[in-house]
Amino acid sequence: QVHLVESGGGLVQPGGSLRLSCAASERTFDSYCKGWFRQAPGKERELVAGIGWSDSSTRYADFAKGRFTVSRDNDENTVYLEMNNLSPEDTAVYYCAAADTLQTLIDGTPPHWGQGTPVTVSS
């Protein structure tokens, strides 16, 4: 089991930015594909972005393209989600996840999940 801990969520005004972090204590974390999901109230959880473990391949949901950037720091066992130009529609709990393959993330079935960090976009 990989233990994932998210941080960086909070309240931000529309048009603002946030950077979420997800850290793992296991040294094997760098060998996983990593991703971010979100779940808004009353909605299903959806993929935001994912990043491969062996290269810099990334996948983004359409709503995230051009505004969000996923990156990783293998030395720090951390994956990040930089979010810019946030809107109220981005309000959700954001979850970090890890899987063996990027496709597993895209399918929405990663075996390892964090507890989530809430993001609220409001004036």
Side-chain angles (χ1 to χ4, degrees), residues 25-46:
S25 57
E26 292 80 3
R27 295 306 305 172
T28 56
F29 187 51
D30 62 354
S31 64
Y32 285 90
C33 298
K34 307 156 186 61
W36 290 92
F37 291 75
R38 72 182 188 183
Q39 187 167 21
K43 295 187 177 181
E44 294 186 354
R45 187 155 53 188
E46 60 183 349

Side-chain angles (χ1 to χ4, degrees), residues 25-123:
S25 57
E26 292 80 3
R27 295 306 305 172
T28 56
F29 187 51
D30 62 354
S31 64
Y32 285 90
C33 298
K34 307 156 186 61
W36 290 92
F37 291 75
R38 72 182 188 183
Q39 187 167 21
K43 295 187 177 181
E44 294 186 354
R45 187 155 53 188
E46 60 183 349
L47 176 68
V48 177
I51 186 166
W53 70 271
S54 61
D55 56 20
S56 298
S57 59
T58 56
R59 297 290 187 276
Y60 291 94
D62 287 344
F63 64 79
K65 292 177 181 177
R67 298 191 301 133
F68 296 0
T69 303
V70 61
S71 61
R72 66 172 193 261
D73 184 334
N74 287 342
D75 289 338
E76 296 295 328
N77 260 12
T78 302
V79 61
Y80 302 97
L81 183 67
E82 184 79 31
M83 303 187 294
N84 298 309
N85 194 23
L86 287 162
S87 71
E89 290 70 32
D90 296 313
T91 295
V93 177
Y94 284 72
Y95 297 89
C96 175
D100 290 336
T101 69
L102 200 53
Q103 187 61 48
T104 303
L105 288 172
I106 295 170
D107 291 342
T109 57
H112 309 292
W113 292 90
Q115 294 300 308
T117 184
V119 171
T120 303
V121 185
S122 175
S123 55

